[in-house]
Amino acid sequence: MPLLWIRVDPKGEHFLNSLVEQPDYMFIEQLLDKNVNGQIEAIDYLSKRPSIQICETFERILENTQMFYRVRVRILYVLAKISLENYIGFQRVIQFFIKKFCVQSSTVIKPNDFNFINYFLQKNSIEALSFTNPSIVKKYNGRTVRSANIICAFMINILRFNDNSMNSFSDSEYISNVIKGLARPLIEISQRKVKEDNMMNENGIKIEDNDNDIEDHDSINMMNDSIKIEEHDLEDNPFFYDDLQNEEPSSSSSDSTNTLNYVDIAVKEVERYRLLDMVFPSHENKITESALYLLGKLAISNCISLKKETLLSLSEYPNAYSVRK
């Protein structure tokens, strides 16, 4: 019988760090074994030298319901970080989410139904996307696709149409992950707009000033759930690209408009959840804590401005300790 793979100290009986050098096909065989520790070791090694074959193996493991859920969660984080010439990992994560948690043959998100395994897959799918490189740019036949725009629109769509009315469990941790996951792509979009505007100014091209500062978050009106995404200029950036066939506007003017709308819409949705968290508090105001995390990140990156009085009021009792700190 041929040697399938090699592992050092498989039972963890010794205090040591080991490095195993073996061909990729041996790590793939180890990944297909039923030993969870061996599977995680194989994932860690294979993630350092990704290829199309390895990524396809990851996808098969991710779809396999017989695999231990932590192994599948680990693969979500690995896929979200992979970007090859002909393979974009975060797109596969979004496809998995849509297949698993959306109505069949559509992108309409199902009402939350948190059983043990599905909850961790759903929550970690969103968190994994927050680790995706937001500056990935792919061009196909003149079409430009940016990862930050796709992820932002995807997460905004989840916030807008999240339905936990029929669920027996709280979705505060899940929503908190979505809100925090918006920080990195929103900052990337805003910074890209600033760079493009600076380049246009250096070239002597006159551009219109867009006020992207939001002074008073308490005055933002709660958005109507029936409003469609297209009405907020997201039609050029649908939250799911089918095999990267959709086109994103390449002109600087339209891109600036989309940038402004992404930050504006995201802040309005987050503010809606923060206000709801004041009326129907989550455990330790988890949603408010996440909202402050996102708004703070955006403020530090000069995407928005915050009122000092509002922050001081949130730092006082009876707000939860997690909010005040």
Side-chain angles (χ1 to χ4, degrees):
M1 183 176 179
L3 183 64
L4 297 180
W5 68 84
I6 299 174
R7 290 186 62 200
V8 176
D9 190 22
K11 295 183 179 180
E13 298 175 337
H14 305 281
F15 292 99
L16 57 85
N17 291 323
S18 61
L19 177 63
V20 179
E21 293 290 344
Q22 58 185 1
D24 291 347
Y25 72 86
M26 296 181 72
F27 279 119
I28 291 176
E29 289 291 341
Q30 181 176 328
L31 178 59
L32 299 176
D33 187 37
K34 295 182 179 180
N35 185 283
V36 173
N37 289 331
Q39 289 175 325
I40 292 177
E41 289 176 7
I43 292 172
D44 291 341
Y45 280 111
L46 292 173
S47 64
K48 299 175 183 178
R49 43 190 181 191
S51 64
I52 299 297
Q53 180 186 7
I54 291 173
C55 292
E56 290 176 350
T57 304
F58 283 160
E59 289 187 45
R60 290 199 301 270
I61 299 297
L62 181 61
E63 297 285 349
N64 189 347
T65 58
Q66 301 301 317
M67 289 292 178
F68 185 51
Y69 80 97
R70 285 191 178 275
V71 174
R72 300 168 70 190
V73 166
R74 190 69 157 256
I75 288 176
L76 285 171
Y77 286 90
V78 172
L79 284 177
K81 298 177 183 179
I82 293 177
S83 177
L84 304 177
E85 183 67 25
N86 298 317
Y87 188 93
I88 302 178
F90 80 88
Q91 183 194 12
R92 308 300 180 182
V93 175
I94 294 177
Q95 288 177 345
F96 171 77
F97 185 95
I98 290 175
K99 181 179 179 180
K100 189 80 174 175
F101 305 110
C102 292
V103 177
Q104 187 175 6
S105 302
S106 73
T107 56
V108 179
I109 300 175
K110 298 177 183 177
N112 294 333
D113 182 16
F114 293 156
N115 61 44
F116 186 82
I117 294 178
N118 281 345
Y119 169 74
F120 285 103
L121 289 175
Q122 187 171 353
K123 181 173 76 76
N124 286 281
S125 295
I126 302 302
E127 188 172 352
L129 289 174
S130 66
F131 289 92
T132 299
N133 182 2
S135 59
I136 296 176
V137 177
K138 291 290 182 179
K139 294 185 178 180
Y140 292 87
N141 299 325
R143 298 185 178 95
T144 302
V145 180
R146 293 185 174 90
S147 59
N149 296 62
I150 300 173
I151 294 172
C152 276
F154 174 67
M155 292 187 176
I156 289 171
N157 188 79
I158 292 176
L159 288 177
R160 177 167 296 157
F161 299 108
N162 178 67
D163 181 7
N164 203 55
S165 58
M166 303 298 292
N167 193 13
S168 302
F169 303 96
S170 170
D171 64 345
S172 58
E173 191 74 29
Y174 168 61
I175 292 299
S176 297
N177 276 10
V178 179
I179 293 174
K180 288 182 178 180
L182 277 168
R184 192 177 180 188
L186 280 177
I187 292 172
E188 168 65 23
I189 292 175
S190 181
Q191 290 178 346
R192 186 179 73 238
K193 174 184 177 295
V194 171
K195 290 180 181 178
E196 291 176 353
D197 290 348
N198 290 337
M199 291 177 62
M200 295 177 68
N201 285 329
E202 290 175 359
N203 294 331
I205 301 176
K206 183 179 179 180
I207 58 175
E208 297 180 357
D209 293 332
N210 289 322
D211 184 9
N212 199 25
D213 292 336
I214 300 176
E215 294 293 342
D216 187 0
H217 292 288
D218 290 330
S219 65
I220 297 177
N221 295 326
M222 294 176 63
M223 299 179 67
N224 191 333
D225 290 341
S226 63
I227 297 177
K228 296 181 179 179
I229 293 180
E230 289 81 359
E231 296 179 13
H232 293 279
D233 296 331
L234 286 178
E235 58 185 352
D236 292 325
N237 296 284
F239 77 89
F240 171 61
Y241 282 79
D242 186 13
D243 294 330
L244 302 179
Q245 294 298 313
N246 292 284
E247 180 177 359
E248 180 184 349
S250 58
S251 64
S252 59
S253 60
S254 61
D255 192 54
S256 297
T257 303
N258 287 329
T259 300
L260 174 63
N261 284 331
Y262 273 124
V263 175
D264 188 33
I265 295 171
V267 170
K268 287 179 180 178
E269 283 297 321
V270 170
E271 181 66 9
R272 179 169 69 89
Y273 275 95
R274 190 185 72 82
L275 294 176
L276 287 174
D277 197 43
M278 294 173 61
V279 181
F280 306 103
S282 58
H283 178 63
E284 295 185 348
N285 291 114
K286 189 71 176 180
I287 293 178
T288 300
E289 178 189 358
S290 301
L292 292 176
Y293 171 86
L294 173 63
L295 297 176
K297 286 281 189 179
L298 294 177
I300 291 173
S301 302
N302 295 322
C303 301
I304 62 174
S305 59
L306 300 175
K307 274 194 172 182
K308 182 178 179 180
E309 294 79 7
T310 305
L311 296 176
L312 289 176
S313 65
L314 291 172
S315 65
E316 298 174 352
Y317 185 83
N319 292 299
Y321 170 74
S322 59
V323 175
R324 286 183 285 155
K325 68 178 182 179

